[in-house]
Amino acid sequence: SLLEYSDRILINGEWRQTLVPARNPNPDLRWEKKLETNIGLDFSIFDNRIDGSIDLYKRNTKDLLWTYSVPTPPYLYNSMLAKVGEMENKGIEVQINALIIKKGQFSWNSSVSFSTNNNKLVSLTNDLFQLDNDYIDAGYTGDPIQTNTHRIIIGKSIGDFWGYKSVDVDENGKWLIETPEGDTVTYEEAAPEDKQILGNGLPKYYLGWNHTFRYRNFDFSLVMHGAFGFQILNFQRMYYENPTITYNMLEGAHDKVYGKTRLTSPQAYVSYYIEDGDYWKIDNATLGYNLKIKNTKVVKALRIYASVMNLYTITKYKGIDPEVNRSGWDPGNDNRDKYPTTRTYTVGLNVTF
């Protein structure tokens, strides 16, 4: 709404509720626009035993929302929401389906999907709305560290972690920071201009691999997927893997940092807590059995099944789950206060009438 309630005023002996503008009006606001170019190939070979598609895409999204600083006057408020930004995504998507084995009452179907995505923030300004810098900072660590986690530079990818690159600790257990020029300073000596890109929270590659097996009345399916070429900021380690805190801490808080000595620096956002996030997940495994139905006009089919979701994850990431948030301006932040991913067991009965 453009209006909000304000103070009451006395008019002719009666108190009246007043309304005031809630923000600067912008009649030019509209839905974002997407322009996509695709070059694709669909194929089928070996008597349709193998089929699939290959798709190259380039997607430009315009009129992205951002809040800009504006002068007062002529505007009522010093900020305005405007649709100015433009983003580009391009990559490749591959899907292959195959009937690997079909012999007697046994069959094995498999499908593989692979995709890549290159992202770039093309622009966030126009003739009317400008930024003070060629970048915007995003993400937030929260208390007590209180700093941004990402920097989005115009012309580069969304998702870049921005902070101090820790390379060692001194003999007293204090962080040593490498500057963009290659010099080494202590954390206390590091200046804001010593920060640099520490990785990116958006995966470069996605892979999926599914299988379905059938034998007589039995069926078994396996669903797997993974993401590769990205980093994660482990908030749990950043906050709780520190022996200087007086509340809950992780078991590794007293381990030697860089194999040298125990940490004595207070909680800080440094690259030591940014980890490779590559993972491979067995999402779901389901075993089913189709019961034989005889001489009934009501029930046409019965199938009993048992399944497990979130069965197993292969990763070197030390956090709870490498499949973290990838949306917004700060992908790759594994926030400390979250409900962990659970493994779910299900037994069920499907009835077809």
Side-chain angles (χ1 to χ4, degrees):
S1 173
L2 290 175
L3 298 175
E4 63 183 4
Y5 290 115
S6 184
D7 298 331
R8 292 176 178 268
I9 60 174
L10 185 64
I11 301 177
N12 297 328
E14 183 180 355
W15 290 99
R16 300 287 184 90
Q17 180 69 61
T18 61
L19 293 173
V20 298
R23 62 180 184 271
N24 291 320
N26 187 350
D28 294 326
L29 289 180
R30 56 186 179 269
W31 293 106
E32 67 181 30
K33 301 175 183 177
K34 291 184 179 180
L35 176 63
E36 184 167 344
T37 303
N38 294 73
I39 300 176
L41 171 66
D42 296 328
F43 62 90
S44 178
I45 56 177
F46 303 125
D47 293 330
N48 299 323
R49 292 285 293 264
I50 299 177
D51 65 77
S53 62
I54 301 174
D55 186 34
L56 300 174
Y57 69 91
K58 182 179 179 181
R59 182 185 306 117
N60 282 80
T61 305
K62 297 184 178 182
D63 297 333
L64 299 176
L65 283 170
W66 191 253
T67 301
Y68 295 85
S69 298
V70 293
T72 55
Y75 296 100
L76 294 174
Y77 296 94
N78 61 3
S79 65
M80 177 180 285
L81 189 66
K83 299 187 78 66
V84 177
E86 179 180 352
M87 187 182 303
E88 177 187 278
N89 288 278
K90 59 183 179 181
I92 183 172
E93 296 177 344
V94 179
Q95 176 75 38
I96 300 175
N97 308 303
L99 176 57
I100 299 176
I101 296 177
K102 176 63 176 177
K103 189 174 182 179
Q105 298 188 62
F106 177 76
S107 66
W108 173 18
N109 290 78
S110 182
S111 65
V112 177
S113 61
F114 172 79
S115 64
T116 68
N117 183 67
N118 292 314
N119 169 277
K120 181 172 69 173
L121 181 61
V122 178
S123 174
L124 207 56
T125 60
N126 64 11
D127 294 337
L128 294 176
F129 299 100
Q130 303 287 328
L131 295 175
D132 295 331
N133 303 289
D134 64 346
Y135 64 84
I136 54 176
D137 290 327
Y140 192 62
T141 58
D143 294 329
I145 300 175
Q146 297 183 328
T147 188
N148 296 111
T149 59
H150 290 67
R151 174 162 290 184
I152 301 98
I153 302 173
I154 307 301
K156 293 191 175 182
S157 173
I158 288 176
D160 284 338
F161 291 105
W162 183 261
Y164 292 121
K165 182 181 179 181
S166 55
V167 292
D168 204 348
V169 291
D170 62 19
E171 63 276 5
N172 297 316
K174 303 291 186 180
W175 293 116
L176 294 177
I177 305 300
E178 182 180 278
T179 69
E181 295 75 25
D183 300 323
T184 301
V185 298
T186 65
Y187 182 83
E188 290 73 16
E189 296 171 335
E193 55 267 24
D194 292 326
K195 293 183 178 181
Q196 54 187 298
I197 293 175
L198 306 175
N200 191 284
L202 289 176
K204 294 181 180 178
Y205 313 104
Y206 299 88
L207 180 65
W209 193 14
N210 303 331
H211 301 273
T212 301
F213 303 89
R214 299 184 186 278
Y215 179 69
R216 295 181 181 272
N217 292 339
F218 288 95
D219 60 83
F220 177 73
S221 64
L222 196 63
V223 179
M224 302 179 288
H225 82 280
F228 309 91
F230 72 108
Q231 286 72 45
I232 299 173
L233 174 55
N234 191 326
F235 274 57
Q236 290 81 28
R237 290 183 57 223
M238 183 170 64
Y239 277 96
Y240 305 130
E241 198 175 86
N242 189 306
T244 68
I245 60 178
T246 57
Y247 48 91
N248 292 338
M249 64 179 69
L250 295 175
E251 185 177 355
H254 297 283
D255 293 344
K256 293 182 178 180
V257 179
Y258 293 113
K260 193 170 185 179
T261 187
R262 194 178 74 166
L263 186 67
T264 60
S265 287
Q267 294 164 321
Y269 168 38
V270 294
S271 63
Y272 183 76
Y273 302 114
I274 294 179
E275 307 177 37
D276 286 337
D278 295 1
Y279 69 87
W280 182 252
K281 272 193 172 186
I282 302 177
D283 270 342
N284 181 279
T286 301
L287 176 64
Y289 181 78
N290 293 287
L291 298 171
K292 294 182 179 180
I293 303 297
K294 295 182 178 180
N295 301 325
T296 176
K297 296 181 180 181
V298 179
V299 178
K300 297 181 179 179
L302 282 175
R303 178 176 177 269
I304 57 174
Y305 67 92
S307 68
V308 184
M309 295 185 62
N310 192 32
L311 179 59
Y312 192 72
T313 303
I314 301 172
T315 184
K316 292 184 179 180
Y317 178 59
K318 297 178 182 178
I320 297 175
D321 189 344
E323 197 167 11
V324 300
N325 173 53
R326 302 190 195 118
S327 61
W329 298 100
D330 56 349
N333 277 353
D334 188 8
N335 295 315
R336 60 176 176 173
D337 301 319
K338 69 173 188 179
Y339 194 81
T341 306
T342 59
R343 180 176 297 150
T344 304
Y345 299 88
T346 303
V347 176
L349 174 66
N350 294 332
V351 182
T352 303
F353 296 98

